Amino acid sequence: EAGVAQSPRYKIIEKRQSVAFWCNPISGHATLYWYQQILGQGPKLLIQFQNNGVVDDSQLPKDRFSAERLKGVDSTLKIQPAKLEDSAVYLCASSPPLAGVYEQYFGPGTRLTVT
Amino acid sequence: AQTVTQSQPEMSVQEAETVTLSCTYDTSESDYYLFWYKQPPSRQMILVIRQEAYKQQNATENRFSVNFQKAAKSFSLKISDSQLGDAAMYFCAYRPPSNTGKLIFGQGTTLQVKP
């Protein structure tokens, strides 16, 4: 079974530029999560999708961050304009559609450096 | 709001010995789920073990076991017969009982395994 795919793996941009990250979840996984992991900290949820609908985006800085999940499969996370404090690893995760204690499967992440 | 605290930023253990990583959490819920995730330097987050709060029996997965103390809101991870491949960052995570599946992570503990 293929895992969660993310691209790019690394990205360096200057502040005020825009950037986009892509995630392809495991086939059949209805729920998709984007986490932000700042160096030395645990991941923090930015947004969660159930199929192509948003379940939780309470911690997404909506003035600069946006995300979409087209057709309930792939997802993109965009930052525009980027700030220095956006430097972090952005992790995508997915989980199966059934309720219960199902683990979240994480991708390798995208390391963003804003200079 | 729920919080997860890992008070040990770094731990070290001799190969083949046993180490315990600590985690405490705060919640007013009676039903929830707890997890330990491992994050090697490659950044791929991997589930190590999970515990349902309604179960009194501590979870065990091969060399990994937990000590779940619900009243004390404590959830420690014991790694027996430590191996060099166990070296990684370990995160304790809490999931509320709702179907949203949002994980709340602690700050992480870096485990070093000495040969």
Side-chain angles (χ1 to χ4, degrees), chain B residues 17-62:
Chain B
E17 298 200 337
T18 297
V19 64
T20 299
L21 308 184
S22 301
C23 172
T24 58
Y25 58 93
D26 187 26
T27 182
S28 57
E29 304 284 352
S30 59
D31 191 20
Y32 46 87
Y33 309 98
L34 297 166
F35 304 84
W36 278 99
Y37 276 88
K38 172 185 177 181
Q39 188 178 43
S42 67
R43 300 200 306 272
Q44 194 95 29
M45 194 86 75
I46 304 165
L47 178 67
V48 174
I49 198 165
R50 62 179 174 224
Q51 174 82 42
E52 295 92 324
Y54 65 85
K55 290 187 177 179
Q56 292 186 336
Q57 187 174 6
N58 289 324
T60 299
E61 288 286 343
N62 300 315

mmCIF file of all heavy atoms in Angstrom, chain B residues 17-62:
data_model
loop_
_atom_site.group_PDB
_atom_site.id
_atom_site.type_symbol
_atom_site.label_atom_id
_atom_site.label_comp_id
_atom_site.label_asym_id
_atom_site.label_seq_id
_atom_site.Cartn_x
_atom_site.Cartn_y
_atom_site.Cartn_z
ATOM 1 N N GLU B 17 19.032 -1.800 27.201
ATOM 2 C CA GLU B 17 18.427 -1.469 28.475
ATOM 3 C C GLU B 17 17.022 -0.883 28.272
ATOM 4 O O GLU B 17 16.536 -0.770 27.151
ATOM 5 C CB GLU B 17 19.333 -0.516 29.247
ATOM 6 C CG GLU B 17 20.686 -1.167 29.553
ATOM 7 C CD GLU B 17 21.428 -0.513 30.690
ATOM 8 O OE1 GLU B 17 21.164 0.667 30.975
ATOM 9 O OE2 GLU B 17 22.286 -1.183 31.283
ATOM 10 N N THR B 18 16.407 -0.530 29.389
ATOM 11 C CA THR B 18 15.021 -0.051 29.370
ATOM 12 C C THR B 18 14.965 1.427 29.697
ATOM 13 O O THR B 18 15.727 1.919 30.525
ATOM 14 C CB THR B 18 14.185 -0.842 30.399
ATOM 15 O OG1 THR B 18 14.156 -2.223 30.014
ATOM 16 C CG2 THR B 18 12.751 -0.313 30.471
ATOM 17 N N VAL B 19 14.065 2.116 29.018
ATOM 18 C CA VAL B 19 13.897 3.552 29.253
ATOM 19 C C VAL B 19 12.397 3.862 29.296
ATOM 20 O O VAL B 19 11.598 3.205 28.627
ATOM 21 C CB VAL B 19 14.593 4.384 28.152
ATOM 22 C CG1 VAL B 19 13.950 4.154 26.789
ATOM 23 C CG2 VAL B 19 14.608 5.867 28.496
ATOM 24 N N THR B 20 12.046 4.861 30.105
ATOM 25 C CA THR B 20 10.650 5.289 30.212
ATOM 26 C C THR B 20 10.527 6.771 29.888
ATOM 27 O O THR B 20 11.237 7.596 30.467
ATOM 28 C CB THR B 20 10.096 5.021 31.616
ATOM 29 O OG1 THR B 20 10.148 3.612 31.885
ATOM 30 C CG2 THR B 20 8.662 5.494 31.733
ATOM 31 N N LEU B 21 9.636 7.073 28.958
ATOM 32 C CA LEU B 21 9.359 8.458 28.567
ATOM 33 C C LEU B 21 8.036 8.889 29.207
ATOM 34 O O LEU B 21 7.053 8.153 29.152
ATOM 35 C CB LEU B 21 9.272 8.579 27.041
ATOM 36 C CG LEU B 21 10.440 8.005 26.242
ATOM 37 C CD1 LEU B 21 10.252 8.289 24.760
ATOM 38 C CD2 LEU B 21 11.764 8.536 26.734
ATOM 39 N N SER B 22 8.028 10.088 29.757
ATOM 40 C CA SER B 22 6.865 10.561 30.509
ATOM 41 C C SER B 22 5.952 11.452 29.674
ATOM 42 O O SER B 22 6.413 12.160 28.768
ATOM 43 C CB SER B 22 7.322 11.341 31.743
ATOM 44 O OG SER B 22 8.128 10.530 32.567
ATOM 45 N N CYS B 23 4.679 11.408 30.018
ATOM 46 C CA CYS B 23 3.692 12.258 29.357
ATOM 47 C C CYS B 23 2.538 12.479 30.317
ATOM 48 O O CYS B 23 2.042 11.540 30.953
ATOM 49 C CB CYS B 23 3.187 11.597 28.076
ATOM 50 S SG CYS B 23 1.800 12.445 27.272
ATOM 51 N N THR B 24 2.122 13.716 30.450
ATOM 52 C CA THR B 24 0.902 14.019 31.194
ATOM 53 C C THR B 24 -0.016 14.839 30.292
ATOM 54 O O THR B 24 0.443 15.483 29.342
ATOM 55 C CB THR B 24 1.186 14.801 32.484
ATOM 56 O OG1 THR B 24 1.876 16.016 32.152
ATOM 57 C CG2 THR B 24 2.024 13.982 33.446
ATOM 58 N N TYR B 25 -1.287 14.797 30.587
ATOM 59 C CA TYR B 25 -2.248 15.506 29.749
ATOM 60 C C TYR B 25 -3.338 16.079 30.625
ATOM 61 O O TYR B 25 -3.489 15.688 31.791
ATOM 62 C CB TYR B 25 -2.821 14.566 28.681
ATOM 63 C CG TYR B 25 -3.488 13.347 29.261
ATOM 64 C CD1 TYR B 25 -4.852 13.319 29.530
ATOM 65 C CD2 TYR B 25 -2.732 12.218 29.571
ATOM 66 C CE1 TYR B 25 -5.452 12.207 30.085
ATOM 67 C CE2 TYR B 25 -3.323 11.096 30.133
ATOM 68 C CZ TYR B 25 -4.675 11.095 30.380
ATOM 69 O OH TYR B 25 -5.253 9.995 30.952
ATOM 70 N N ASP B 26 -4.059 16.997 30.065
ATOM 71 C CA ASP B 26 -5.142 17.618 30.811
ATOM 72 C C ASP B 26 -6.399 17.588 29.943
ATOM 73 O O ASP B 26 -6.381 18.044 28.788
ATOM 74 C CB ASP B 26 -4.782 19.058 31.182
ATOM 75 C CG ASP B 26 -5.816 19.687 32.102
ATOM 76 O OD1 ASP B 26 -6.492 18.929 32.831
ATOM 77 O OD2 ASP B 26 -5.949 20.919 32.100
ATOM 78 N N THR B 27 -7.470 17.056 30.481
ATOM 79 C CA THR B 27 -8.735 17.009 29.777
ATOM 80 C C THR B 27 -9.855 16.855 30.785
ATOM 81 O O THR B 27 -9.658 16.315 31.873
ATOM 82 C CB THR B 27 -8.771 15.846 28.777
ATOM 83 O OG1 THR B 27 -10.012 15.872 28.065
ATOM 84 C CG2 THR B 27 -8.622 14.502 29.465
ATOM 85 N N SER B 28 -11.022 17.310 30.399
ATOM 86 C CA SER B 28 -12.200 17.122 31.240
ATOM 87 C C SER B 28 -13.064 15.971 30.704
ATOM 88 O O SER B 28 -14.074 15.618 31.294
ATOM 89 C CB SER B 28 -13.032 18.408 31.285
ATOM 90 O OG SER B 28 -13.403 18.793 29.969
ATOM 91 N N GLU B 29 -12.632 15.389 29.588
ATOM 92 C CA GLU B 29 -13.360 14.279 28.997
ATOM 93 C C GLU B 29 -13.071 12.988 29.769
ATOM 94 O O GLU B 29 -12.015 12.833 30.386
ATOM 95 C CB GLU B 29 -12.940 14.096 27.522
ATOM 96 C CG GLU B 29 -13.109 15.327 26.659
ATOM 97 C CD GLU B 29 -14.552 15.575 26.274
ATOM 98 O OE1 GLU B 29 -15.394 14.706 26.558
ATOM 99 O OE2 GLU B 29 -14.821 16.631 25.680
ATOM 100 N N SER B 30 -14.012 12.060 29.710
ATOM 101 C CA SER B 30 -13.795 10.762 30.349
ATOM 102 C C SER B 30 -13.423 9.699 29.320
ATOM 103 O O SER B 30 -12.837 8.678 29.655
ATOM 104 C CB SER B 30 -15.051 10.325 31.104
ATOM 105 O OG SER B 30 -16.151 10.230 30.200
ATOM 106 N N ASP B 31 -13.749 9.969 28.070
ATOM 107 C CA ASP B 31 -13.443 9.025 26.989
ATOM 108 C C ASP B 31 -12.558 9.730 25.971
ATOM 109 O O ASP B 31 -12.918 10.811 25.484
ATOM 110 C CB ASP B 31 -14.732 8.524 26.342
ATOM 111 C CG ASP B 31 -14.468 7.364 25.409
ATOM 112 O OD1 ASP B 31 -13.411 6.718 25.538
ATOM 113 O OD2 ASP B 31 -15.318 7.103 24.532
ATOM 114 N N TYR B 32 -11.439 9.134 25.672
ATOM 115 C CA TYR B 32 -10.500 9.748 24.731
ATOM 116 C C TYR B 32 -9.480 8.683 24.337
ATOM 117 O O TYR B 32 -9.573 7.523 24.771
ATOM 118 C CB TYR B 32 -9.791 10.964 25.348
ATOM 119 C CG TYR B 32 -9.262 10.726 26.739
ATOM 120 C CD1 TYR B 32 -7.994 10.175 26.949
ATOM 121 C CD2 TYR B 32 -10.027 11.036 27.863
ATOM 122 C CE1 TYR B 32 -7.515 9.939 28.224
ATOM 123 C CE2 TYR B 32 -9.553 10.803 29.140
ATOM 124 C CZ TYR B 32 -8.303 10.257 29.317
ATOM 125 O OH TYR B 32 -7.836 10.021 30.591
ATOM 126 N N TYR B 33 -8.516 9.080 23.528
ATOM 127 C CA TYR B 33 -7.509 8.151 23.045
ATOM 128 C C TYR B 33 -6.132 8.789 23.199
ATOM 129 O O TYR B 33 -5.971 10.002 23.048
ATOM 130 C CB TYR B 33 -7.765 7.812 21.572
ATOM 131 C CG TYR B 33 -9.189 7.366 21.318
ATOM 132 C CD1 TYR B 33 -10.139 8.255 20.824
ATOM 133 C CD2 TYR B 33 -9.593 6.070 21.601
ATOM 134 C CE1 TYR B 33 -11.451 7.871 20.609
ATOM 135 C CE2 TYR B 33 -10.904 5.667 21.390
ATOM 136 C CZ TYR B 33 -11.823 6.574 20.900
ATOM 137 O OH TYR B 33 -13.123 6.184 20.690
ATOM 138 N N LEU B 34 -5.161 7.955 23.486
ATOM 139 C CA LEU B 34 -3.787 8.419 23.656
ATOM 140 C C LEU B 34 -2.863 7.633 22.748
ATOM 141 O O LEU B 34 -3.080 6.436 22.508
ATOM 142 C CB LEU B 34 -3.347 8.253 25.113
ATOM 143 C CG LEU B 34 -4.135 9.086 26.133
ATOM 144 C CD1 LEU B 34 -3.862 8.584 27.544
ATOM 145 C CD2 LEU B 34 -3.772 10.560 26.012
ATOM 146 N N PHE B 35 -1.841 8.302 22.251
ATOM 147 C CA PHE B 35 -0.919 7.694 21.302
ATOM 148 C C PHE B 35 0.519 8.089 21.631
ATOM 149 O O PHE B 35 0.769 9.151 22.201
ATOM 150 C CB PHE B 35 -1.208 8.183 19.867
ATOM 151 C CG PHE B 35 -2.621 7.963 19.396
ATOM 152 C CD1 PHE B 35 -3.622 8.876 19.722
ATOM 153 C CD2 PHE B 35 -2.951 6.877 18.616
ATOM 154 C CE1 PHE B 35 -4.937 8.696 19.281
ATOM 155 C CE2 PHE B 35 -4.253 6.685 18.163
ATOM 156 C CZ PHE B 35 -5.241 7.597 18.499
ATOM 157 N N TRP B 36 1.432 7.223 21.236
ATOM 158 C CA TRP B 36 2.842 7.573 21.147
ATOM 159 C C TRP B 36 3.251 7.423 19.685
ATOM 160 O O TRP B 36 3.028 6.369 19.072
ATOM 161 C CB TRP B 36 3.708 6.675 22.025
ATOM 162 C CG TRP B 36 3.733 7.094 23.464
ATOM 163 C CD1 TRP B 36 3.003 6.585 24.492
ATOM 164 C CD2 TRP B 36 4.563 8.116 24.035
ATOM 165 N NE1 TRP B 36 3.309 7.227 25.664
ATOM 166 C CE2 TRP B 36 4.274 8.167 25.413
ATOM 167 C CE3 TRP B 36 5.534 8.983 23.521
ATOM 168 C CZ2 TRP B 36 4.896 9.048 26.288
ATOM 169 C CZ3 TRP B 36 6.158 9.856 24.378
ATOM 170 C CH2 TRP B 36 5.845 9.889 25.748
ATOM 171 N N TYR B 37 3.853 8.505 19.164
ATOM 172 C CA TYR B 37 4.376 8.495 17.802
ATOM 173 C C TYR B 37 5.887 8.643 17.860
ATOM 174 O O TYR B 37 6.434 9.328 18.718
ATOM 175 C CB TYR B 37 3.799 9.656 16.978
ATOM 176 C CG TYR B 37 2.443 9.381 16.363
ATOM 177 C CD1 TYR B 37 1.273 9.640 17.071
ATOM 178 C CD2 TYR B 37 2.332 8.879 15.076
ATOM 179 C CE1 TYR B 37 0.027 9.395 16.497
ATOM 180 C CE2 TYR B 37 1.083 8.636 14.494
ATOM 181 C CZ TYR B 37 -0.054 8.899 15.219
ATOM 182 O OH TYR B 37 -1.287 8.663 14.655
ATOM 183 N N LYS B 38 6.540 8.021 16.894
ATOM 184 C CA LYS B 38 7.996 8.104 16.746
ATOM 185 C C LYS B 38 8.306 8.881 15.470
ATOM 186 O O LYS B 38 7.700 8.637 14.426
ATOM 187 C CB LYS B 38 8.572 6.686 16.646
ATOM 188 C CG LYS B 38 10.044 6.599 16.295
ATOM 189 C CD LYS B 38 10.435 5.136 16.118
ATOM 190 C CE LYS B 38 11.882 4.988 15.702
ATOM 191 N NZ LYS B 38 12.252 3.556 15.511
ATOM 192 N N GLN B 39 9.242 9.810 15.577
ATOM 193 C CA GLN B 39 9.644 10.589 14.409
ATOM 194 C C GLN B 39 11.157 10.537 14.254
ATOM 195 O O GLN B 39 11.884 11.290 14.889
ATOM 196 C CB GLN B 39 9.156 12.034 14.519
ATOM 197 C CG GLN B 39 9.371 12.839 13.233
ATOM 198 C CD GLN B 39 8.826 14.258 13.348
ATOM 199 O OE1 GLN B 39 9.008 14.922 14.365
ATOM 200 N NE2 GLN B 39 8.161 14.739 12.303
ATOM 201 N N PRO B 40 11.656 9.651 13.394
ATOM 202 C CA PRO B 40 13.105 9.578 13.148
ATOM 203 C C PRO B 40 13.570 10.828 12.414
ATOM 204 O O PRO B 40 12.733 11.617 11.946
ATOM 205 C CB PRO B 40 13.253 8.338 12.265
ATOM 206 C CG PRO B 40 11.957 7.624 12.350
ATOM 207 C CD PRO B 40 10.911 8.652 12.645
ATOM 208 N N PRO B 41 14.847 11.016 12.256
ATOM 209 C CA PRO B 41 15.357 12.200 11.552
ATOM 210 C C PRO B 41 14.786 12.366 10.146
ATOM 211 O O PRO B 41 14.743 13.464 9.633
ATOM 212 C CB PRO B 41 16.872 11.957 11.517
ATOM 213 C CG PRO B 41 17.128 11.114 12.723
ATOM 214 C CD PRO B 41 15.923 10.226 12.861
ATOM 215 N N SER B 42 14.313 11.304 9.533
ATOM 216 C CA SER B 42 13.723 11.402 8.188
ATOM 217 C C SER B 42 12.377 12.113 8.209
ATOM 218 O O SER B 42 11.825 12.431 7.176
ATOM 219 C CB SER B 42 13.539 10.010 7.589
ATOM 220 O OG SER B 42 12.552 9.293 8.331
ATOM 221 N N ARG B 43 11.827 12.336 9.414
ATOM 222 C CA ARG B 43 10.589 13.070 9.658
ATOM 223 C C ARG B 43 9.303 12.290 9.437
ATOM 224 O O ARG B 43 8.238 12.825 9.646
ATOM 225 C CB ARG B 43 10.509 14.361 8.838
ATOM 226 C CG ARG B 43 11.573 15.355 9.064
ATOM 227 C CD ARG B 43 11.102 16.719 8.589
ATOM 228 N NE ARG B 43 10.645 16.711 7.219
ATOM 229 C CZ ARG B 43 11.442 16.901 6.193
ATOM 230 N NH1 ARG B 43 12.728 17.051 6.375
ATOM 231 N NH2 ARG B 43 10.955 16.908 4.966
ATOM 232 N N GLN B 44 9.351 11.038 8.989
ATOM 233 C CA GLN B 44 8.131 10.272 8.808
ATOM 234 C C GLN B 44 7.609 9.858 10.180
ATOM 235 O O GLN B 44 8.248 9.099 10.906
ATOM 236 C CB GLN B 44 8.408 9.020 7.969
ATOM 237 C CG GLN B 44 7.180 8.343 7.456
ATOM 238 C CD GLN B 44 6.812 8.787 6.049
ATOM 239 O OE1 GLN B 44 7.691 9.161 5.267
ATOM 240 N NE2 GLN B 44 5.538 8.741 5.713
ATOM 241 N N MET B 45 6.470 10.375 10.552
ATOM 242 C CA MET B 45 5.861 10.094 11.848
ATOM 243 C C MET B 45 5.227 8.701 11.796
ATOM 244 O O MET B 45 4.432 8.404 10.893
ATOM 245 C CB MET B 45 4.785 11.147 12.129
ATOM 246 C CG MET B 45 4.300 11.187 13.536
ATOM 247 S SD MET B 45 5.317 12.209 14.607
ATOM 248 C CE MET B 45 4.806 13.824 14.079
ATOM 249 N N ILE B 46 5.577 7.865 12.782
ATOM 250 C CA ILE B 46 5.101 6.481 12.792
ATOM 251 C C ILE B 46 4.415 6.213 14.124
ATOM 252 O O ILE B 46 4.951 6.548 15.188
ATOM 253 C CB ILE B 46 6.274 5.505 12.632
ATOM 254 C CG1 ILE B 46 7.075 5.813 11.352
ATOM 255 C CG2 ILE B 46 5.779 4.057 12.590
ATOM 256 C CD1 ILE B 46 8.416 5.139 11.321
ATOM 257 N N LEU B 47 3.252 5.575 14.081
ATOM 258 C CA LEU B 47 2.557 5.224 15.315
ATOM 259 C C LEU B 47 3.295 4.087 16.014
ATOM 260 O O LEU B 47 3.629 3.075 15.409
ATOM 261 C CB LEU B 47 1.127 4.783 15.010
ATOM 262 C CG LEU B 47 0.309 4.343 16.222
ATOM 263 C CD1 LEU B 47 0.045 5.528 17.143
ATOM 264 C CD2 LEU B 47 -0.998 3.701 15.799
ATOM 265 N N VAL B 48 3.546 4.271 17.299
ATOM 266 C CA VAL B 48 4.209 3.250 18.114
ATOM 267 C C VAL B 48 3.176 2.425 18.873
ATOM 268 O O VAL B 48 3.206 1.185 18.850
ATOM 269 C CB VAL B 48 5.198 3.899 19.103
ATOM 270 C CG1 VAL B 48 5.780 2.844 20.039
ATOM 271 C CG2 VAL B 48 6.297 4.639 18.362
ATOM 272 N N ILE B 49 2.253 3.108 19.533
ATOM 273 C CA ILE B 49 1.302 2.406 20.385
ATOM 274 C C ILE B 49 0.126 3.326 20.673
ATOM 275 O O ILE B 49 0.276 4.553 20.633
ATOM 276 C CB ILE B 49 2.000 1.950 21.689
ATOM 277 C CG1 ILE B 49 1.209 0.862 22.405
ATOM 278 C CG2 ILE B 49 2.309 3.131 22.594
ATOM 279 C CD1 ILE B 49 2.034 0.147 23.477
ATOM 280 N N ARG B 50 -1.045 2.748 20.950
ATOM 281 C CA ARG B 50 -2.215 3.558 21.259
ATOM 282 C C ARG B 50 -2.976 2.931 22.425
ATOM 283 O O ARG B 50 -2.877 1.733 22.684
ATOM 284 C CB ARG B 50 -3.121 3.691 20.043
ATOM 285 C CG ARG B 50 -3.698 2.373 19.543
ATOM 286 C CD ARG B 50 -4.592 2.604 18.362
ATOM 287 N NE ARG B 50 -5.038 1.339 17.792
ATOM 288 C CZ ARG B 50 -5.078 1.082 16.496
ATOM 289 N NH1 ARG B 50 -4.701 1.989 15.625
ATOM 290 N NH2 ARG B 50 -5.508 -0.082 16.058
ATOM 291 N N GLN B 51 -3.737 3.788 23.109
ATOM 292 C CA GLN B 51 -4.477 3.367 24.293
ATOM 293 C C GLN B 51 -5.846 4.025 24.286
ATOM 294 O O GLN B 51 -5.947 5.243 24.114
ATOM 295 C CB GLN B 51 -3.714 3.781 25.566
ATOM 296 C CG GLN B 51 -4.425 3.524 26.868
ATOM 297 C CD GLN B 51 -4.288 2.089 27.345
ATOM 298 O OE1 GLN B 51 -3.230 1.484 27.272
ATOM 299 N NE2 GLN B 51 -5.364 1.544 27.873
ATOM 300 N N GLU B 52 -6.886 3.228 24.466
ATOM 301 C CA GLU B 52 -8.223 3.790 24.626
ATOM 302 C C GLU B 52 -8.444 4.052 26.112
ATOM 303 O O GLU B 52 -8.162 3.178 26.946
ATOM 304 C CB GLU B 52 -9.291 2.812 24.116
ATOM 305 C CG GLU B 52 -9.231 2.550 22.631
ATOM 306 C CD GLU B 52 -8.382 1.339 22.274
ATOM 307 O OE1 GLU B 52 -7.363 1.099 22.930
ATOM 308 O OE2 GLU B 52 -8.758 0.626 21.323
ATOM 309 N N ALA B 53 -8.967 5.203 26.471
ATOM 310 C CA ALA B 53 -9.109 5.577 27.869
ATOM 311 C C ALA B 53 -10.060 4.670 28.630
ATOM 312 O O ALA B 53 -9.937 4.505 29.848
ATOM 313 C CB ALA B 53 -9.573 7.029 27.979
ATOM 314 N N TYR B 54 -11.019 4.054 27.931
ATOM 315 C CA TYR B 54 -11.991 3.217 28.627
ATOM 316 C C TYR B 54 -11.413 1.839 28.976
ATOM 317 O O TYR B 54 -12.004 1.081 29.733
ATOM 318 C CB TYR B 54 -13.262 3.059 27.792
ATOM 319 C CG TYR B 54 -13.088 2.317 26.487
ATOM 320 C CD1 TYR B 54 -13.133 0.926 26.434
ATOM 321 C CD2 TYR B 54 -12.890 3.003 25.296
ATOM 322 C CE1 TYR B 54 -12.975 0.242 25.248
ATOM 323 C CE2 TYR B 54 -12.734 2.337 24.094
ATOM 324 C CZ TYR B 54 -12.780 0.947 24.064
ATOM 325 O OH TYR B 54 -12.627 0.283 22.882
ATOM 326 N N LYS B 55 -10.258 1.524 28.427
ATOM 327 C CA LYS B 55 -9.627 0.241 28.720
ATOM 328 C C LYS B 55 -8.675 0.383 29.908
ATOM 329 O O LYS B 55 -7.820 1.256 29.937
ATOM 330 C CB LYS B 55 -8.853 -0.262 27.506
ATOM 331 C CG LYS B 55 -9.727 -0.693 26.345
ATOM 332 C CD LYS B 55 -8.894 -1.323 25.251
ATOM 333 C CE LYS B 55 -9.782 -1.823 24.118
ATOM 334 N NZ LYS B 55 -8.985 -2.422 23.003
ATOM 335 N N GLN B 56 -8.826 -0.464 30.877
ATOM 336 C CA GLN B 56 -7.959 -0.427 32.059
ATOM 337 C C GLN B 56 -6.611 -1.093 31.776
ATOM 338 O O GLN B 56 -5.597 -0.733 32.377
ATOM 339 C CB GLN B 56 -8.645 -1.097 33.244
ATOM 340 C CG GLN B 56 -9.853 -0.324 33.749
ATOM 341 C CD GLN B 56 -10.423 -0.923 35.009
ATOM 342 O OE1 GLN B 56 -10.234 -2.103 35.282
ATOM 343 N NE2 GLN B 56 -11.125 -0.124 35.786
ATOM 344 N N GLN B 57 -6.624 -2.048 30.867
ATOM 345 C CA GLN B 57 -5.396 -2.778 30.573
ATOM 346 C C GLN B 57 -4.443 -1.911 29.772
ATOM 347 O O GLN B 57 -4.828 -1.286 28.782
ATOM 348 C CB GLN B 57 -5.717 -4.048 29.790
ATOM 349 C CG GLN B 57 -4.533 -4.959 29.576
ATOM 350 C CD GLN B 57 -4.913 -6.280 28.930
ATOM 351 O OE1 GLN B 57 -6.066 -6.472 28.537
ATOM 352 N NE2 GLN B 57 -3.965 -7.190 28.834
ATOM 353 N N ASN B 58 -3.194 -1.907 30.188
ATOM 354 C CA ASN B 58 -2.177 -1.135 29.487
ATOM 355 C C ASN B 58 -1.839 -1.795 28.152
ATOM 356 O O ASN B 58 -1.666 -3.006 28.059
ATOM 357 C CB ASN B 58 -0.910 -1.024 30.336
ATOM 358 C CG ASN B 58 -1.095 -0.114 31.526
ATOM 359 O OD1 ASN B 58 -1.801 0.891 31.435
ATOM 360 N ND2 ASN B 58 -0.475 -0.448 32.629
ATOM 361 N N ALA B 59 -1.703 -0.961 27.114
ATOM 362 C CA ALA B 59 -1.376 -1.479 25.792
ATOM 363 C C ALA B 59 0.082 -1.928 25.712
ATOM 364 O O ALA B 59 0.960 -1.355 26.387
ATOM 365 C CB ALA B 59 -1.646 -0.399 24.741
ATOM 366 N N THR B 60 0.310 -2.949 24.898
ATOM 367 C CA THR B 60 1.660 -3.476 24.680
ATOM 368 C C THR B 60 1.828 -3.799 23.210
ATOM 369 O O THR B 60 0.923 -4.357 22.585
ATOM 370 C CB THR B 60 1.894 -4.750 25.514
ATOM 371 O OG1 THR B 60 1.760 -4.422 26.894
ATOM 372 C CG2 THR B 60 3.279 -5.311 25.270
ATOM 373 N N GLU B 61 2.982 -3.410 22.663
ATOM 374 C CA GLU B 61 3.335 -3.754 21.286
ATOM 375 C C GLU B 61 4.799 -4.176 21.272
ATOM 376 O O GLU B 61 5.695 -3.344 21.241
ATOM 377 C CB GLU B 61 3.129 -2.547 20.347
ATOM 378 C CG GLU B 61 1.698 -2.196 20.062
ATOM 379 C CD GLU B 61 1.017 -3.172 19.116
ATOM 380 O OE1 GLU B 61 1.705 -3.944 18.422
ATOM 381 O OE2 GLU B 61 -0.230 -3.144 19.077
ATOM 382 N N ASN B 62 5.017 -5.468 21.325
ATOM 383 C CA ASN B 62 6.388 -6.009 21.308
ATOM 384 C C ASN B 62 7.211 -5.394 22.443
ATOM 385 O O ASN B 62 6.889 -5.596 23.603
ATOM 386 C CB ASN B 62 7.017 -5.774 19.934
ATOM 387 C CG ASN B 62 6.228 -6.452 18.833
ATOM 388 O OD1 ASN B 62 5.839 -7.597 18.961
ATOM 389 N ND2 ASN B 62 5.962 -5.719 17.761
#
